[in-house]
């Protein structure tokens, strides 16, 4: 039994809680903000009315091709306007996008398809030198549930025409039904999908926008891949649309694309992970042509922000730092622009909704006093009460009374703010992307020369954690980073999961109970450290 079920009715009096589907929200915005620019990418810019027309036309086209209300649809598109159109087109139908990242490959796709049985796959023709069509066709061949593959590229043909021509008649969509399935970082094999409803997701965006003090003049830059919860909804695209601001989509996460977009579009707010801040700062030192003076707020989150980097941002960036602790499962905690700078520098603020319930507990689930670290648990209006079709996982990831176990160490500061202290559960946070060691270990063991593998996250100045794989080879064969990368790419693993460091080991260091001692492995990895700063993949 999937224990606790959240009662949505208890939240109906909350300010910002609206029983409206995302498709209908866009209808409303199109009327309210009509000719204002809604979103721009490196190729075009469109108004709120145009966005709604495109979403209606595309939605109608998808329906004619067989996508129905309740269907799951794989969406694997980079930061470009078609992503936004597809998101709302599916919302209008009541079909549910599964938010794949452009970096995902066959291995990740197969796990998700087997779980969610999508009826269609919407994919970019090409992005960053990778052609997706062949991969999509292979998935369709392997999984007959995929009836249609829609390719966003030069050959869009009928889809493109439908965008501007078709009118749509859409089914009624329950705002408490699932609007999107987000991917949970850190799976151990069986992927975890996070079902967010239309109402809770919009509430999430609104509460975030309120904390960020967004208004119609706000220009939000989506620098991270928009399939991530952070740029999509915290406040991200949805929060900016709701207030009538403008969204700018950066084509890649490169510091040049980010800084150029800020300069040219006079961006007022953006969201970065700490690793991206570091590379942007380096870029700013070398190149004086960028102008980031338009920025009012820099949201930084997704991974531990070191105190020293927080201080540096506060000192060097011409805007307010907003520390963001967030999860795709729900809970968001931000500092406020009105907080004292000493607070902003040292904590991750307070939950964004007055209805958020947050507890910090010890190993017996007893709450710990202020100033003591424990595990962060949360329940509330926009935090899920279970993963999609995952009874087993739900039993361990949630308490009996419905609190989500984040697996993060946190404490309350004397002033009532949250301060994060790293992970309790084993998970690598590499430049904001979450990776479970067990997943990589399983992939490595598929290699014929690898007998056993142990993967650890090693503290890294730029990435937060870098991935180090320790390998026990079959006949003492030597395998280097390149060979391991090549193998993992061949079996279709996303590039951000590739180990940054590979060490051959002959004998495992063991704990007193005979398990591989990963703490010792981390130390060994640090001692053997070379220069792994060849960029964020
Ligand atoms: C965001 O969401 P996810 O689902 O990719 O990852 C959530 C995990 C947290 O459980 C925590 O381990 C880590 O990311 N995290 C942080 C953090 N913010 C997130 N760890 C330390 N300090 C922080 N400030 O990462 C996410 C979702 C929405 C907004 C922002 C980030």
């Amino acid at each position: 039994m999937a224990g606790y079920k959240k009662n949505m009715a208890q939240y109906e009096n909350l300010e910002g809680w609206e029983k409206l589907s995302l498709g209908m929200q866009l209808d409303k915005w199109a009327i309210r903000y009509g000719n204002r620019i809604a979103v721009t990418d490196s190729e075009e810019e469109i108004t709120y009315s145009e966005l709604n027309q495109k979403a209606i036309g595309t939605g109608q086209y998808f329906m004619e091709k067989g996508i129905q209300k309740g269907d799951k649809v794989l969406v694997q598109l980079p930061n470009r306007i078609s992503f936004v159109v597809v998101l709302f087109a599916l919302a209008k139908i009541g079909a549910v996008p599964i938010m794949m990242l452009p970096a995902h490959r066959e291995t990740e796709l197969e796990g998700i398809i087997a779980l969610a049985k999508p009826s269609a796959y919407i994919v970019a023709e090409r992005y960053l030198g990778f052609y997706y069509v062949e991969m999509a066709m292979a998935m369709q061949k392997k999984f007959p549930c995929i009836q249609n593959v829609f390719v966003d590229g030069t050959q869009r043909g009928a889809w493109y025409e439908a965008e501007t021509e078709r009118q749509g008649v859409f089914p009624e969509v329950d705002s408490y039904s699932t609007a999107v399935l987000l991917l949970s970082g850190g799976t151990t094999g069986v992927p975890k999908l996070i079902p967010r409803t239309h109402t809770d997701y919009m509430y999430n965006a609104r509460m975030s926008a309120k904390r960020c003090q967004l208004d119609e003049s706000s220009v939000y830059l989506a620098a991270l891949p928009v399939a991530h919860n952070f740029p999509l909804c915290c406040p991200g695209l949805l929060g900016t649309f709701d207030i009538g601001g403008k969204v700018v989509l950066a084509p890649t996460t490169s510091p040049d694309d980010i800084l150029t977009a800020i300069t040219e579009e006079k961006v007022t707010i953006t969201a970065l992970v700490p690793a991206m801040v570091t590379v942007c700062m380096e870029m700013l030192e070398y190149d004086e042509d960028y102008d980031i003076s338009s920025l009012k707020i820099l949201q930084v989150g997704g991974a531990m922000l070191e105190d020293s980097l927080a201080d540096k941002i506060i000192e060097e960036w011409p805007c307010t730092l907003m520390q963001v602790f967030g999860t795709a499962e729900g809970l968001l905690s931000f500092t406020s622009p009105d907080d004292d700078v000493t607070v902003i520098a040292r904590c991750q603020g307070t939950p964004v909704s007055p209805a958020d319930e947050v507890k910090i507990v010890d190993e017996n689930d007893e709450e710990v006093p202020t100033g003591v670290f424990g595990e962060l648990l949360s329940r509330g209006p926009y935090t899920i009460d279970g993963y999609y079709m995952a009874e087993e996982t739900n039993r361990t990831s949630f308490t009996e009374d419905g609190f989500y176990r984040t697996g993060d160490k946190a404490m309350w500061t004397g002033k009532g703010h949250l301060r994060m202290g790293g992970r309790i559960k084993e998970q690598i946070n590499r430049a904001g992307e979450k990776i479970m060691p067990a997943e990589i270990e399983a992939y490595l063991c598929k290699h014929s020369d690898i007998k056993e593998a142990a993967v650890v996250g090693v503290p890294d100045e730029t990435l937060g954690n870098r991935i180090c794989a320790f390998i026990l080879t079959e006949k003492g064969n030597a395998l280097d980073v390149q060979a391991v990368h090549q193998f993992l790419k061949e079996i279709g693993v996303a590039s951000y999961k590739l180990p940054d460091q590979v060490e051959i080991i002959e004998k495992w260091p063991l704990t007193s109970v005979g398990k591989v001692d990963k703490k010792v492995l981390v130390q060994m990895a640090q001692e053997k450290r070379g220069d792994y700063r060849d960029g964020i993949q």
Side-chain angles (χ1 to χ4, degrees), residues 187 426-428 435-442 454-457 518:
T187 64
E426 198 185 18
Q427 188 181 69
I428 299 172
I435 300 136
M436 281 306 260
E439 183 188 355
I440 314 299
E441 287 162 6
V455 170
V456 290
K518 289 202 161 175

Side-chain angles (χ1 to χ4, degrees), residues 84-102:
V84 187
V85 171
V86 164
L87 173 74
F88 286 106
L90 295 174
K92 284 183 189 282
I93 303 171
V96 185
I98 304 172
M99 297 294 180
M100 303 303 299
L101 293 172

Side-chain angles (χ1 to χ4, degrees), residues 175-473:
S175 77
Y176 285 175
S177 67
T178 303
V180 295
L181 282 166
L182 301 174
L183 262 64
S184 163
T187 64
T188 44
V190 187
K192 286 184 285 184
L193 290 174
I194 300 167
R196 303 291 302 264
T197 68
H198 293 262
T199 292
D200 92 63
Y201 214 40
M202 203 55 230
Y203 180 74
N204 183 116
R206 279 193 183 133
M207 291 299 101
S208 305
K210 191 172 169 198
R211 185 64 62 87
C212 293
Q213 303 175 354
L214 289 196
D215 61 32
E216 273 197 8
S217 68
S218 297
V219 180
Y220 177 89
L221 174 69
L224 291 158
V226 277
H228 272 308
N229 188 36
F230 195 4
L232 186 55
C233 195
C234 308
L237 272 59
L238 294 181
T240 306
F241 290 150
D242 191 49
I243 211 91
K246 172 168 147 183
V247 168
V248 178
L249 300 169
T252 76
T253 53
S254 83
D256 180 46
D257 276 344
I258 294 169
L259 295 169
T260 301
I262 296 175
T263 306
E264 288 180 356
E265 296 288 343
K266 302 207 173 3
V267 167
T268 61
I269 171 167
T270 191
L272 301 178
V273 294
M276 286 163 72
V277 179
T278 306
V279 289
C280 283
M281 280 178 143
E282 283 171 4
M283 196 91 184
L284 283 167
E285 266 171 35
Y286 288 113
D287 196 325
E288 288 173 2
D289 287 342
Y290 299 117
D291 177 5
I292 59 167
S293 60
S294 56
L295 270 183
K296 290 187 181 152
I297 288 183
L298 175 67
Q299 289 184 294
V300 180
M304 290 292 291
L305 176 62
E306 294 301 327
D307 290 349
S308 57
L309 184 55
D311 291 341
K312 213 165 161 215
I313 297 170
I314 290 169
E315 206 184 299
E316 292 179 18
W317 285 60
C319 61
T320 304
L321 167 65
M322 176 180 281
Q323 290 221 38
V324 170
F325 167 79
T327 64
E329 284 80 358
L331 181 67
L332 303 173
S333 180
F334 301 177
T335 56
S336 161
D338 301 328
D339 283 336
D340 195 275
V341 67
T342 54
V343 169
I344 292 175
R346 291 294 175 268
C347 72
Q348 287 69 46
T350 54
V352 298
S353 161
D356 278 318
E357 299 170 77
V358 171
K359 288 203 281 192
I360 300 178
V361 300
D362 62 19
E363 52 282 359
N364 301 317
D365 280 354
E366 301 288 343
E367 286 194 58
V368 297
T370 295
V372 176
F373 277 115
E375 185 183 8
L376 180 68
L377 308 185
S378 92
R379 183 170 78 174
Y382 59 95
T383 295
I384 56 165
D385 55 14
Y387 292 103
Y388 174 76
M389 307 244 288
E391 260 187 49
E392 192 70 31
T393 313
N394 289 343
R395 262 194 293 271
T396 50
S397 298
F398 294 83
T399 64
E400 275 187 5
D401 53 353
F403 278 82
Y404 166 57
R405 296 184 188 277
T406 62
D408 292 312
K409 220 192 286 178
M411 68 170 199
W412 290 113
T413 67
K415 289 184 178 154
H417 297 98
L418 280 175
R419 174 160 168 95
M420 304 309 294
R423 289 288 300 170
I424 292 171
K425 293 184 194 161
E426 198 185 18
Q427 188 181 69
I428 299 172
N429 189 324
R430 183 184 188 275
E433 297 292 358
K434 318 302 178 319
I435 300 136
M436 281 306 260
E439 183 188 355
I440 314 299
E441 287 162 6
Y443 297 151
L444 290 169
C445 288
K446 291 184 179 172
H447 192 293
S448 56
D449 285 348
I450 297 177
K451 220 158 103 185
E452 286 169 38
V455 170
V456 290
V458 184
D460 182 281
E461 226 178 275
T462 309
L463 298 168
N465 286 165
R466 67 175 186 271
I467 305 173
C468 179
F470 283 87
I471 286 172
L472 197 86
T473 57

Side-chain angles (χ1 to χ4, degrees), residues 485-503:
H485 282 198
Q486 199 190 337
F487 170 71
L488 292 176
K489 278 188 188 161
E490 266 165 29
I491 62 167
V493 176
S495 60
Y496 65 84
K497 297 179 186 171
L498 302 181
D500 302 282
Q501 186 178 356
V502 171
E503 302 293 346

